[in-house]
Amino acid sequence: MKTDRNTKRRWLRNVLGFCCLALVPAAIAEDGVLSIKSVEFSGLTRSSEVYVRDVVEVEAGAAFDPAKLEEAVDRLLRTGRFLSARYTVAEEPDGMRITFVVVERQVLTAIRFEGNTKFKDARLSKVVTAQVGDPVDRFAAVMGAEAIAEKYETAGYGDVSVTYDRELLNQTGELVFTIVEGARVRIREIRFEGSTAFPARELKRQIETKQAFLILWVGAFDEDRVEADLARLQKYYRDHGFLDAEVGYRVENRGSDTDIALVFEIEEGAQYSIETIEFRGSAVFSTEELTDLVESKVGAAVKRLKVDRDVERVRDAYWEQGYIYVTVRAIRVFSEEPGLVRLTFDIQEGEQYRVGKIVVRGNARTKDKVARRALNLYPPDDLFDMTEAKEAERRLRDTGAFSAGRVTPVGDAPGVRDVVIDVEEADKSGDFLFGFGVTSNSGLVGTLTLDLQNFDYRDWPRSWGEFFRFRSFFGAGQHMRIELQPGADVNRFRIDFTEPYLMDKPIRFDWSAYLFERGRDGYNERRAGTTLSLGKRFEHGRLQGWSGEMALRLESVNIDDIDLFASGQVRDDEGSNLLTSAKVTLVRDRTDNRFLPSSGDRLRLSYEQFGVLGGDHNFGRVSARYQWYKTIKTDLLDRKSVLQLRAEGGAIVGDAPVFERFYAGGTGSIRGFEFRGVGPRDGIDDTNVGGDFLVLMGAEYSYPIYTEALRGHIFLDTGTAGTGGYRASIGTGIRLIIRALGPMPLELNLAVPVSSDSGDEEQVFSFVMGGMF
């Protein structure tokens, strides 16, 4: 009705305006257009005329246009300062006189709080959006009262009442909130009655309501939150096979009305098991093949998460064979036998498709080939593998060139679907990062990094501004990284360049140049060098699943500041040493996750020959490293406890200088000993001169403490470096991964050596901390 009245008023004003035009021929200019002689305002008391003129945007001398005057009235009303606004038109001998008539709103003259003892006025003012000087707005007053009540409820005052004086607000502009705080109710205890399948600590992780604990949680009782917790608990039970589970709650007083116990009443019912597993609609795969794919087994509990993963496994099997439109549904039907469920996977296979054309869209500056090479599908012979398409979406994001990528089949040709790769380019080609790290191995190290993810060495900037805005050297999918690491014990500077597809072939090219300085045991070591390498991942043949790399190194190593009583072996290498080497490396990685593996293994083999292009030293070095991971158990939150076994070895063929020999001890080697604290010693001051061979073995069992970010571990580290004595240590620690601070974790370890040598340097506590910003 309000809208209809406004429409009628506008229509009436327009009619009156046009009627005025008919009566005022003197206001018509020589060109036949009506003009405005003056613009005036009536009813202004608090708003300035200058402000209102800016709002209406109507000036003397302009052509008279009722539509624009109507728009001016609407703009006045939208400011919120006026209860009403209209305009009048008066005839003048030389034009039209326009008068805007307004009625101003009352403004807030004060905001006060009465009855509050828990929170001071200043704290309550922060949650009220209205401010003194704003137009009186009843909606803002209501929202302010609700915000105050929410603040009290969060603090445990569940019976709080907040009102405001509407009549006083309209008459004087004072907004006065009256607060009746009521008693503060705290949840002192949370119990679960009737729960036998899950421990209380597990169920507490499923709910948002918390019991009072020091200053961390106030233990506020919120009925809406508790009702939501009931739904979460019931879903949790049913997801784990308790299909008849019901959850309620009650509140008990604990000695007073302000201290309560929240009791969740749980009727678990039976945990349903799988009676039969059937596959309906499958013609491509046999029942035996599909049964081997799924984890759910007859006789096991029916768990939603496991069944969902089974659906994905069956779907992926079809996707790999080109059935891109396959649908797989898991249907659970109660059996006639109590406590049993018949599980059926309903499959709609659809047709098989091959790859047609490949089209890239959304890349304004990045070259098409950067997106195309992320997709290992090639027309016209390849089947349209949707699992590969989804993996390509991940690889598109990993390039750093794109913030998002999507691979979609399109077309209607029989047996063929084109591939459309939709990408969103990253906002900029690089980042400037700074950070820090501190470890028991290397001390405090700062980091300044220029990281260019979508680099193109041919795209030179046209101005310095373009360079500093990361709008140059962009679009070819290369990677350039310049890093400076000044530290207390170590100083590094390096430049790294990577071309992932050399000459558009699946061959990786890397170039690095670096400077390095560190104080060693009895001497100072400085290095300056460069490396060139070519790498390839083998997709077919005998080396399928392996990655290979060939690298050349040219390096100058300077040994100086030798201690007076240092070993003679160190003095033999004093001064400048020129190193050249060729290295061959093979890597096979079958882990399920590159950074946090929980299953699979990783093997690395390498041989490096020094002196191939001349230099001061001629020897060889062979090394191998093997890591094996197995998930021992998975908890109800799908968090994994993982066993890791590792073995590492190396040997030197020939006579190597001290700075290229093997050392052991410290994080990543044998915890419980200092960095390079294990090895053969020589000289009056027992300088560690390194060994000609290395053996390291260890085991670590890690388990979740809180989510996947915080994990604990216990470990056994053993090994030796060039000496007959075998070292061993046992210990425990915690590891915290904060992805926002970069890949470096926070790790604290306590280790006790159980086998050592008299010359070893022990270290019970070791740590790694760091982050990038």
Side-chain angles (χ1 to χ4, degrees), residues 89-368:
V89 181
E91 175 188 1
E92 297 288 343
D94 52 352
M96 310 294 294
R97 177 162 51 88
I98 308 300
T99 302
F100 288 95
V101 181
V102 297
V103 177
E104 290 186 313
R105 286 180 180 272
Q106 176 69 268
V107 298
L108 287 176
T109 58
I111 299 177
R112 295 188 287 108
F113 306 92
E114 295 181 353
N116 54 306
T117 59
K118 168 61 179 177
F119 298 110
K120 295 182 179 180
D121 290 0
R123 295 186 64 182
L124 295 180
S125 296
K126 293 180 179 179
V127 302
V128 177
T129 58
Q131 296 181 358
V132 173
D134 290 347
V136 169
D137 186 342
R138 288 175 55 188
F139 177 75
V142 171
M143 294 300 294
E146 291 181 356
I148 294 170
E150 183 178 356
K151 187 173 183 65
Y152 271 90
E153 289 167 356
T154 302
Y157 293 84
D159 295 330
V160 66
S161 172
V162 183
T163 58
Y164 72 94
D165 192 328
R166 183 181 303 178
E167 184 176 347
L168 184 65
L169 177 64
N170 293 331
Q171 292 179 355
T172 67
E174 288 186 89
L175 178 56
V176 179
F177 293 102
T178 301
I179 303 165
V180 180
E181 295 178 332
R184 186 180 194 181
V185 178
R186 292 193 179 194
I187 301 174
R188 297 294 184 179
E189 181 185 8
I190 295 177
R191 299 201 310 270
F192 301 89
E193 287 187 355
S195 59
T196 59
F198 307 108
R201 66 177 181 275
E202 197 66 45
L203 296 178
K204 285 182 178 180
R205 294 193 183 105
Q206 313 309 316
I207 62 177
E208 290 189 357
T209 302
K210 305 296 181 184
Q211 68 187 55
F213 180 71
L214 301 178
I215 62 172
L216 297 179
W217 296 294
V218 298
F221 178 81
D222 185 325
E223 187 173 357
D224 292 337
R225 184 182 295 129
V226 173
E227 291 289 345
D229 288 338
L230 294 181
R232 294 186 186 94
L233 288 170
Q234 185 162 294
K235 181 178 183 299
Y236 184 75
Y237 267 92
R238 294 185 177 182
D239 286 349
H240 287 83
F242 295 88
L243 304 182
D244 299 326
E246 298 289 341
V247 184
Y249 82 94
R250 71 175 187 271
V251 174
E252 296 179 352
N253 290 339
R254 296 187 74 226
S256 69
D257 293 337
T258 59
D259 290 339
I260 64 172
L262 176 62
V263 183
F264 289 97
E265 301 170 323
I266 301 172
E267 295 182 10
E268 293 180 333
Q271 186 178 33
Y272 282 73
S273 300
I274 300 174
E275 182 182 34
T276 60
I277 298 177
E278 297 179 1
F279 300 91
R280 187 169 61 200
S282 59
V284 175
F285 298 102
S286 67
T287 299
E288 291 75 14
E289 290 173 322
L290 294 174
T291 301
D292 291 340
L293 282 176
V294 301
E295 285 186 355
S296 298
K297 303 299 179 185
V298 173
V302 53
K303 297 183 178 181
R304 183 186 62 83
L305 291 177
K306 184 176 289 188
V307 173
D308 289 346
R309 288 196 295 264
D310 289 339
V311 168
E312 293 176 358
R313 288 188 183 91
V314 174
R315 180 206 61 193
D316 290 349
Y318 276 92
W319 274 2
E320 291 171 359
Q321 297 301 314
Y323 293 86
I324 60 179
Y325 298 122
V326 65
T327 59
V328 183
R329 294 186 306 131
I331 302 173
R332 298 181 302 185
V333 178
F334 290 102
S335 171
E336 296 176 357
E337 296 293 329
L340 295 177
V341 166
R342 295 172 182 171
L343 179 61
T344 301
F345 293 93
D346 182 70
I347 303 170
Q348 303 293 325
E349 294 178 332
E351 297 182 28
Q352 188 182 50
Y353 293 92
R354 294 190 178 273
V355 176
K357 295 183 296 183
I358 299 177
V359 180
V360 180
R361 303 186 306 197
N363 53 322
R365 298 175 59 208
T366 303
K367 298 175 181 178
D368 280 5

Side-chain angles (χ1 to χ4, degrees), residues 52 170 287 595 648 674 758:
V52 179
N170 293 331
T287 299
F595 299 104
E648 182 177 354
E674 288 190 8
S758 59

